[in-house]
Structures are given as C-alpha cells and as structure tokens.
C-alpha cells in the first residue's frame, strides 16, 4: 500500500537515495583516512609524508562532500514528504467532498480526524527520513565490510558475530502473535481517540444532566483497555528488542573486536596497527540491523496509516448519472420508498408522498419513526433501497448533484459554521452572491440586527472574533438556505432546541418567502 502512494514520486525517491549513497560513501573517507594514517604512522620505518598528506586531504574532501550530498538528500526528502502529504490531504478532501453526506453520520468524528491528521503525519518518517537513512545504513557497512575483508577476513567474521546474533532475533518480531498485538494496539488507539472526542464534545450535556460520572467511566474504560493492550504488546516485544539492542551495543561489538584482535595479534596473524580499522569501522557494521529495526517500525506504522487512508479513499462517491436529466418543475414525490441502514431492518417501507410547490408539509410522529431518515432522502444524503424519490418528475438519481443542490436546500438541528466571516458563512452555497443578497437573507432569517452588533459586522470571523449562540447559529444556517433561493427547503428539527425568537423567525420565513417554494 505504501508503494502505491510513493509510485508517482519514484524518480524523486531515486534521486534522494542516490544523493544519500554518494554522501554516505564520502562520509567514510574521514574514518578510512584515520585508519590509514594509523597504519602508516604505526608501521615500522619513517612514514611517507606525501602519502600522509594525501590521506588527510582525502578525508577533508570526503567530509565536505558528505555534508553537501546528505544535506541535499535530506532537503529533497522533506520537500518530497510535503508533496506526498499535500497530495494525500487533497485526495482525502476530494473523496470526502464526493462521499454521500449520510456516510459521515455512520462514522465517528475522532476516527476521521485521525485519518486526515495523524495518519497522514505518520507517513512523514518513512518518506522524509527512512529512504536516506536506510540507504546510508546499508551502503556504509557494505563499503566498510569490503575494506575490512581486505585487511583481515578472519577478524572481520569475528566482528560480525554480534550482527548475526541480532539478525537471528529479527524474525521473532514478525511472528503472527506480534502482528495481532500491533493491530490490537492500533484499534485501541482509534477507540481512545474517539472516546476523547466524544467526551470533550458532550461534557456540557452530560454534566448538566448529572451523567459526568458515567461519561468519565466510559473514557477511563477506553484508556484502561488501551493500557492493557499496550502493555501486552510491549511485553511481547521487549525481550527480543532488548536482546537486539544488547547485541548491537558498542560495548559488545568492541568486546568482540578486541577479543578477536587479541587472539589474532598474539598468534602472529595480524599486525597491531591493523587492529585500528576494526576499532573505527567495526561499530558501523551493526548499522543495517539497527536501521532495519527502526525502518521496519516506520514501514509498519506507515503501512497501517496508509491502509486506513486508502479505506477512506475507497469510499464510493455519490453516484452521478451518465446522462443527467433536468426536472420538469419542482413537485416532490415519493413512490413506494423503502430504506434500511446497511444490513439492518427497514426504517421506511412503502412510503408514498406528494409535496406540491407552494406548500408546507410537516412530518410528525414518535422518535425513531423514520422522520429524519425520510427528509434526508430529499437532498439525497442516501438513496432509497426500493422505490424512488422524484423532483419535477425525475428520479433524484438521474439528476446531477449540482443541479439537485440548486433546487434543494436544507437546515438541520446540528448546525456547522465555518471559521470564516459571517458573510461567507451565509453565502456558502452561493459564493458569487452580492452583499445585498447576503443582507436580505439575514433579514429574512431575523439575524441581521445581531450581526451588526458583532465586532466587525458581516466581516466578523466566527470562532475567532465572535461566538454565536445555538439559536443564532441556526438563524445563520437558515439565512444560508434562504440565499440559495431553492424551490425546495428541508428543515429537519431546525427548531427543536431553538429559543422562541429563532423558532418564530423560521416560521415567519416559511410563511413569507416565495409562494412557489416547497417546505
């Protein structure tokens, strides 16, 4: 899945890796220069001055080249990371913009917030750091290994013993039980994120009705579950991870080098000066396994994040007709409508209804009777499982979404205002609306006078420069619907929790607006 995200940027990734390879190889020059200087200065006889200065110059040039190439690689990697994250967020925004509005009602806001925020951020280490770091981690030890084999292949094999021990432990981190524990950890993280969002959003209500204790207990239960899952996962990997870190630690590697070097020197198979390269470069041989551990974690984390992102991107869009038709008039009709949520029982069964232009229709009935479900079929938040919803004689599924929302507006109980100016909030559905149109809609919704009392009037940014009450927000939503001037206006419990003034404003607007509109 990660490869699918990165494939369009393959050439840039190759360039990042190539720059890192050059920089990593150049970075070996100072170490090799020190090793060569040691061998040259500690060898019997006077040192070759020309050779010594050549080695010093090569080390200095290598250091400068390393800084230049690794810096370029890191910079390009972060630019590439920004492009990938921007592309993912744009694609997510486009997908969510095309998704049926009813789809959001069946998703927790915390889960979607995690996908669009944390999961996209989780790709950063794998893109910006892992390619260069993994490349360097394998190139440097490979070149060092070739050099050390040329010095003494027996001591090289002894130096590799800690690496082989650590490599032997890697498969234990990939056992099915460890994978299941990691998936359980991710699921627990998602549940605790959703619990936090729900707890914070609902705290005012639960405290008002004395339910803070119960809500807090649900949050604590989610936190306790996460703690249990996290502890089980850590216990499963801690012993293996500790063993790998111990095997690759500098003291253990140096112990292996010094032990092997002592044996080789005392047996006459190695000159004392030749031990110096192993002391300098031997530690670098452990880098691939250490990088494999961190890179594997980054790859797993990025893979799971991309999996959740792709699950959202796979959301089927609201089906658009291949050959859109135009409604002939504004008469709304429901014919034998049936509907069920997912695989649940039918909420609506055989509903027949006609809404004539210029009329106001009220749906009454007990809670859970399907009123909200029915009105959400009119703006096509869902498509009926049976029967049809028609506007002007045309099935809503045969009308293009742009044309449909030019004819149907809606105001719901749960009002969402954007963090932008009041004028922009009202003109959301009609961005080209004039200021006079915005004011006219605000007057019809009985919110104009309140807007004038805001710090900057219609230019006041909501959520930053001012905050509106629930009833005032509902009147802004009503003005937003009125400025669209659609033939059909759907109100779903828009006054259920409104103050008397807001309730009267909505009722007066329904009586005084356009005789051809259907409410």
């Amino acid at each position: 899945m990660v490869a699918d995200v990165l494939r369009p940027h393959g050439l840039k990734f190759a360039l990042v890796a190539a720059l890192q390879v050059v920089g990593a190889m150049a970075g070996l020059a100072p170490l090799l220069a020190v090793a060569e200087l040691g061998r040259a200065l500690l060898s019997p006889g006077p040192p070759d001055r020309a050779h010594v200065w050549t080695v010093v110059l090569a080390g200095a040039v290598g250091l400068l080249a390393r800084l230049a190439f690794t810096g370029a690689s890191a910079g390009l990697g972060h630019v590439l990371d920004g492009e990938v994250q921007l592309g993912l967020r744009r694609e997510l925004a486009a997908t969510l913009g095309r998704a049926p509005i009813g789809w959001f009602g069946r998703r927790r806001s915390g889960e979607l917030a995690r996908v669009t925020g944390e999961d996209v951020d989780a790709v950063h280490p794998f893109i910006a750091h892992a390619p260069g770091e993994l490349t360097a981690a394998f190139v440097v030890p490979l070149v060092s290994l070739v050099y050390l084999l040329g010095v003494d292949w027996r001591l090289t094999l002894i130096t590799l013993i800690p690496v082989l021990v650590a490599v032997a432990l890697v498969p234990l981190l990939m056992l099915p039980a460890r994978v299941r524990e990691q998936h359980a950890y991710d699921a627990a993280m998602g549940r605790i994120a959703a619990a936090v969002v729900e707890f914070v959003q609902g705290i005012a209500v639960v405290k008002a009705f004395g339910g803070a204790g119960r809500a807090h207990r649900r949050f604590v239960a989610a936190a306790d579950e996460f703690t249990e899952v996290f502890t089980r996962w850590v216990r499963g990997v801690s012993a293996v991870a500790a063993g790998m870190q111990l095997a690759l630690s500098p003291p253990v590697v140096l112990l292996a080098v010094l032990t092997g070097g002592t044996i080789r020197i005392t047996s006459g198979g190695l000159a004392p000066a030749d031990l110096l390269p192993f002391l300098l470069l031997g530690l670098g041989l452990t880098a691939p396994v250490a990088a494999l551990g961190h890179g594997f974690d980054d790859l797993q984390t990025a893979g799971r994040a991309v999996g959740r992102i792709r699950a959202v991107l796979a959301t089927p869009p609201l089906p658009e007709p291949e050959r859109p038709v135009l409604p002939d008039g504004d008469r709304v009709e429901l014919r034998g409508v049936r509907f069920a949520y997912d695989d649940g029982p039918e909420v609506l069964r055989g509903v027949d209804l006609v809404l004539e232009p210029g009329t106001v229709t009220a749906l009454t009935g007990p809670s859970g009777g399907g009123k909200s479900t029915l009105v959400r079929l009119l703006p096509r938040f869902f498509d009926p499982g049976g029967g049809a919803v028609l506007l002007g004689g045309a099935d809503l599924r045969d009308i293009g979404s742009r044309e449909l929302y030019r004819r149907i507006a809606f105001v719901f109980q749960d009002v969402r205002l954007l963090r932008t100016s009041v004028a922009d909030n009202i003109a959301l559905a009609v961005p080209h609306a004039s200021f006079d149109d915005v004011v006219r809609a605000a007057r019809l919704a009985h919110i104009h006078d309140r807007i004038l009392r805001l710090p900057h009037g219609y230019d006041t940014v909501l959520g930053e420069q001012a905050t509106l009450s629930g009833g005032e927000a509902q009147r802004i939503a009503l003005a937003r619907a009125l400025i669209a001037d659609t033939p059909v206006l759907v109100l779903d419990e828009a006054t259920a929790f409104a103050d008397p003034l807001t309730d009267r404003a909505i009722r007066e607007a329904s009586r005084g607006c356009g005789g051809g509109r259907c409410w």
Side-chain angles (χ1 to χ4, degrees):
M1 288 184 177
V2 177
D4 294 339
V5 174
L6 306 185
R7 189 172 293 114
H9 307 275
L11 291 178
K12 291 183 179 179
F13 270 101
L15 181 57
V16 169
L19 290 172
Q20 190 67 48
V21 167
V22 176
M25 294 181 67
L28 277 175
L31 295 177
L32 294 176
V34 173
E36 283 297 321
L37 280 176
R39 296 175 69 187
L41 296 176
L42 295 176
S43 297
D48 184 348
R49 296 175 61 87
H51 175 69
V52 169
W53 283 109
T54 300
V55 171
V56 171
L57 181 61
V61 171
L63 178 61
L64 294 176
R66 178 185 182 277
L67 293 175
F69 282 94
T70 55
S73 176
L76 181 59
H78 280 80
V79 170
L80 184 57
D81 169 61
E83 292 179 357
V84 172
Q85 290 200 38
L86 178 60
L88 285 175
R89 286 195 166 94
R90 281 178 171 172
E91 194 172 352
L92 282 168
T95 298
L96 295 176
R98 293 190 299 265
I101 299 180
W103 178 85
F104 294 91
R106 302 193 298 274
R107 303 295 184 282
R108 291 183 174 183
S109 57
E111 294 175 356
L112 287 177
R114 181 185 182 186
V115 170
T116 56
E118 295 178 16
D119 285 341
V120 175
D121 290 338
V123 180
H124 166 78
F126 182 77
I127 297 175
H129 301 286
E133 292 175 356
L134 289 176
T135 300
F138 282 91
V139 170
V140 171
L142 182 61
V143 176
S144 300
L145 185 62
V146 172
Y147 177 83
L148 294 178
L149 284 172
V151 177
D152 187 87
W153 66 269
R154 294 175 182 84
L155 185 53
T156 302
L157 294 180
I158 295 174
T159 305
L160 287 175
I161 290 176
V163 177
L164 297 177
V165 173
V167 170
L169 295 176
V170 170
L172 298 180
L173 296 175
M174 305 171 63
L175 293 174
R178 303 288 83 81
V179 176
R180 288 194 298 270
E181 289 167 356
Q182 183 64 60
H183 286 306
Y185 167 79
D186 286 339
M189 277 289 290
R191 287 191 291 271
I192 196 173
V196 169
V197 172
E198 292 172 357
F199 179 71
V200 172
Q201 289 181 342
I203 189 61
V205 175
V206 297
K207 288 184 70 175
F209 290 93
R214 292 190 299 273
H216 183 261
R217 284 194 295 273
R218 285 194 293 270
F219 168 71
V220 171
D224 289 342
E225 180 192 13
F226 169 77
T227 302
E228 180 182 349
V229 171
F230 178 74
T231 302
R232 185 167 60 250
W233 174 58
V234 170
R235 286 174 178 171
V237 301
S238 58
V240 178
M244 291 180 62
Q245 290 182 355
L246 179 62
L248 299 175
S249 63
V252 171
V253 176
L254 288 175
L255 178 62
V257 171
L258 291 174
T259 301
T262 301
I263 294 173
R264 292 289 294 149
I265 291 172
T266 56
S267 65
L270 182 72
D274 289 339
L275 180 61
L276 185 59
F278 291 91
L279 294 175
L280 292 173
L281 301 178
L283 293 175
L285 297 179
T286 64
V289 181
L292 180 62
H294 295 298
F296 182 70
D297 290 341
D298 288 341
L299 180 60
Q300 279 194 319
T301 301
R304 290 189 299 270
V306 171
R308 290 187 291 269
I309 291 172
R310 290 180 67 84
V312 174
L313 294 179
T315 302
L318 185 71
E320 291 285 345
E322 293 184 5
R323 297 180 178 178
V325 300
L326 293 177
D328 183 14
D330 303 313
R331 186 174 187 260
V332 177
E333 185 177 359
L334 284 75
R335 295 179 182 173
V337 169
R338 308 171 71 94
F339 181 80
Y341 290 99
D342 298 327
D343 297 326
E346 282 192 328
V347 180
L348 303 175
R349 181 181 304 165
V351 177
D352 295 296
L353 182 64
V354 175
L355 309 177
E356 296 289 352
T359 64
V360 177
T361 303
L363 297 179
T364 61
S367 298
K371 303 185 299 297
S372 293
T373 300
L374 191 148
V375 298
R376 278 168 165 77
L377 294 178
L378 300 184
R380 206 185 168 197
F381 285 12
F382 306 99
D383 284 331
V389 181
L390 296 89
L391 174 64
D395 193 313
L396 296 188
R397 289 167 288 200
D398 296 329
I399 303 174
S401 58
R402 290 183 179 274
E403 179 64 26
L404 177 64
Y405 293 125
R406 278 198 290 264
R407 294 173 176 264
I408 297 180
F410 40 86
V411 180
F412 294 134
Q413 174 185 335
D414 186 17
V415 176
R416 300 291 182 183
L417 300 181
L418 304 182
R419 190 177 291 270
T420 185
S421 69
V422 175
D424 288 341
N425 266 283
I426 294 176
L428 183 63
V430 190
H432 58 274
S434 66
F435 181 72
D436 290 340
D437 293 334
V438 171
V439 173
R440 187 179 302 110
R443 289 184 183 278
L444 289 172
H446 292 256
I447 191 64
H448 172 71
D449 293 339
R450 174 67 180 97
I451 294 173
L452 294 182
R453 293 197 299 271
L454 295 175
H456 303 286
Y458 282 86
D459 293 326
T460 303
V461 177
L462 298 179
E464 292 183 3
Q465 299 170 332
T467 301
L468 300 181
S469 68
E472 292 166 346
Q474 285 182 318
R475 279 183 272 167
I476 292 290
L478 177 61
R480 178 189 294 167
L482 293 175
I483 198 173
D485 196 26
T486 57
V488 180
L489 180 57
V490 179
L491 305 178
D492 182 18
E493 298 191 46
T495 63
F497 299 103
D499 55 87
L501 183 60
T502 300
D503 182 270
R504 188 180 66 183
I506 292 178
R507 296 181 187 279
E508 288 180 357
S510 67
R511 289 194 299 267
C513 249
R517 174 172 287 147
C518 174
W519 293 64

